[in-house]
Amino acid sequence: MKPNPTKRLRTAEEDGDVRETGRGDHGEEERRKTVDVSIIMPVHNASCWLKECLQAILQQDFAGSMELSVFDDASTDDSRKVLEGWRERMEDRGISVVISGHNSSQPGGVGFAKNKAVTQSSGQYLCFQDADDIMFPQRVRLQYETSLRNANCLIGCRVQRLPEGSTERYTRWINSLTQDQLITQAYTSHGPTVVMPTWFCSRKLFLKVGLFDERGKGVPEDLLFFYQLLRQGGRPFRVDQGLLVYRYHERAATHSVTEETIWKLRVDFLQERVLSQWENFTIWNAGKQGRKLYRCLSLTNQKKVKAFCDVDENKIQKSFYTYEESKQRPKPTVPILHYKEATGPFIICVKLDMPGGVLEENLNSLQLKEGTDYFHFN
């Protein structure tokens, strides 16, 4: 996977259709010196959620200067009208407002809209906010304070899911990862270990990583950015307080990204960051997911797989796995062992946080260290 291409940040005036009071070259320069935090908000047909979202921004207890930077990505509802209706209340509260957008027949996509909102903004720090989510009053203050202490970090937070109980295992994963696991579990199917709607970082760090991918629908721009952050030496960090109501609904952009797209990106990143450093390894799971991972590896990394391991006696009794689809002759065969007989390091292709905690018990029994002796991939 290629790093995000470097793009020149354009001024809001270049993009046109920007409305904000008191703008000018001198005003822009002064704003860049004085705005502490820009809230970056892409909008597409979000009218039904905007009241709660904007009211929460208005109620932030942050004492520094704030700006709301919104890019309306071809909404066909009255989102733009609602946004403009909140301008005066925001400005009365001391929050400057920049709103722009376009009315093309097709939206440019989440990455495109976020880039536009960043480009026209002026804050030294960026607080990313989805239009369908709700900030807690202390969000900007606590993430800003944390960012000052952790300059090279992408700051996240714990979340409260709405409706309550939706995506229960995913929400528990978001909220329970340790700081070390924010890095070691970057290869799991859940995506970025600090979730995009909670992101907060310095403008300097954002520009170092590069803008979001703008290919649009079906592209996980947040995951691509997160991987590039790690490549650049940046780190995820989480404020261990719930600072966002994270809404789940069927219209969310994340539903447009297929599992196969995510799978391929994850495999490539795992090979780049982990498997390239190992001479050999064992895949923990001789079933469907473990075999799929093996088949998707490069030939070089397939040759590094010394065994599959499992707890299922039926799989273990087969003794070996034959890669029938391989063009090699003879066809590659890989031993299947009981996990207690296998040796690390391991790539774990078993679901996390399943009832009973059997996987976790088995890993603990071998006294293995996550991030050194094994990485989770499922």
Side-chain angles (χ1 to χ4, degrees):
M1 185 176 63
K2 296 180 180 179
N4 297 349
T6 302
K7 301 178 183 178
R8 182 177 70 88
L9 279 182
R10 304 174 67 210
T11 65
E13 287 83 354
E14 287 179 283
D15 287 323
D17 196 19
V18 177
R19 298 190 181 92
E20 197 227 4
T21 56
R23 296 293 298 271
D25 290 342
H26 179 69
E28 174 69 14
E29 183 180 346
E30 288 303 307
R31 275 162 33 87
R32 286 205 179 272
K33 290 179 181 178
T34 59
V35 176
D36 295 317
V37 177
S38 291
I39 297 170
I40 304 300
M41 194 164 81
V43 170
H44 176 69
N45 291 341
S47 176
C48 61
W49 298 300
L50 283 173
K51 180 180 178 180
E52 285 181 292
C53 177
L54 296 170
Q55 183 64 40
I57 292 172
L58 206 62
Q59 293 173 341
Q60 291 300 295
D61 63 12
F62 179 58
S65 54
M66 284 194 297
E67 168 190 76
L68 174 62
S69 177
V70 181
F71 186 84
D72 177 20
D73 190 19
S75 292
T76 55
D77 63 4
D78 64 344
S79 291
R80 192 66 170 269
K81 180 180 178 181
V82 173
L83 289 163
E84 290 291 352
W86 279 78
R87 178 187 292 278
E88 186 175 345
R89 276 172 281 186
M90 291 288 176
E91 291 176 346
D92 286 347
R93 166 70 172 73
I95 302 171
S96 56
V97 179
V98 186
I99 302 172
S100 72
H102 69 107
N103 55 6
S104 304
S105 58
Q106 293 293 326
V110 179
F112 167 79
K114 281 189 282 205
N115 286 341
K116 292 292 188 185
V118 170
T119 298
Q120 70 191 18
S121 72
S122 301
Q124 296 180 54
Y125 289 84
L126 307 174
C127 177
F128 291 91
Q129 173 71 22
D130 286 354
D132 52 357
D133 295 334
I134 307 165
M135 294 183 179
F136 282 81
Q138 65 272 39
R139 179 188 172 189
V140 171
R141 173 174 57 83
L142 291 180
Q143 289 192 302
Y144 177 77
E145 291 171 356
T146 304
S147 196
L148 291 178
R149 296 191 299 268
N150 299 274
N152 203 37
C153 290
L154 180 64
I155 311 298
C157 64
R158 288 178 171 159
V159 300
Q160 177 182 315
R161 204 59 155 144
L162 190 67
E164 187 176 347
S166 57
T167 66
E168 188 173 352
R169 287 179 60 235
Y170 175 52
T171 304
R172 187 160 56 243
W173 179 81
I174 293 170
N175 290 335
S176 65
L177 291 174
T178 66
Q179 293 297 341
D180 287 341
Q181 287 174 329
L182 294 180
I183 295 174
T184 61
Q185 294 200 12
Y187 311 98
T188 69
S189 59
H190 288 319
T193 51
V194 287
V195 293
M196 169 68 221
T198 71
W199 286 3
F200 189 108
C201 67
S202 68
R203 180 180 295 272
K204 181 179 179 180
L205 179 61
F206 179 85
L207 295 179
K208 177 183 175 183
V209 175
L211 302 187
F212 292 106
D213 189 293
E214 294 188 358
R215 284 174 289 172
K217 191 173 182 180
V219 176
E221 84 294 331
D222 57 341
L223 184 62
L224 292 171
F225 185 95
F226 187 71
Y227 284 171
Q228 188 63 6
L229 170 87
L230 297 177
R231 287 192 187 97
Q232 296 279 355
R235 294 185 300 112
F237 190 95
R238 189 186 66 223
V239 176
D240 285 335
Q241 284 184 242
L243 302 179
L244 186 79
V245 175
Y246 183 16
R247 198 185 301 267
Y248 177 82
H249 58 90
E250 292 304 319
R251 286 168 52 189
T254 187
H255 296 306
S256 72
V257 183
T258 66
E259 287 186 16
E260 278 306 307
T261 296
I262 298 291
W263 172 275
K264 186 178 186 309
L265 291 171
R266 290 168 54 220
V267 171
D268 288 348
F269 198 59
L270 179 75
Q271 294 189 107
E272 173 193 332
R273 303 282 291 185
V274 177
L275 302 187
S276 64
Q277 307 300 311
W278 287 353
E279 291 183 5
N280 52 54
F281 62 98
T282 297
I283 296 177
W284 190 308
N285 185 353
K288 182 178 178 182
Q289 290 296 304
R291 297 194 305 267
K292 180 180 179 181
L293 173 61
Y294 174 84
R295 293 193 301 269
C296 291
L297 296 175
S298 67
L299 181 60
T300 298
N301 285 322
Q302 284 179 357
K303 291 179 178 178
K304 293 182 180 181
V305 179
K306 54 187 174 181
F308 289 93
C309 73
D310 214 294
V311 296
D312 187 336
E313 291 295 338
N314 292 328
K315 294 172 186 172
I316 296 166
Q317 285 174 6
K318 294 178 182 178
S319 300
F320 60 87
Y321 163 71
T322 302
Y323 183 16
E324 295 290 354
E325 297 87 350
S326 176
K327 295 179 181 178
Q328 296 181 70
R329 294 296 180 270
K331 295 177 181 179
T333 59
V334 183
I336 301 175
L337 307 174
H338 190 279
Y339 79 91
K340 289 183 179 179
E341 297 174 357
T343 56
F346 299 92
I347 296 299
I348 312 293
C349 290
V350 180
K351 288 183 179 179
L352 287 161
D353 191 27
M354 293 301 284
V358 175
L359 171 65
E360 289 78 6
E361 284 183 14
N362 291 340
L363 289 170
N364 289 335
S365 73
L366 298 179
Q367 297 182 316
L368 301 176
K369 179 177 173 56
E370 185 173 0
T372 302
D373 303 314
Y374 70 91
F375 284 87
H376 284 288
F377 188 73
N378 218 340

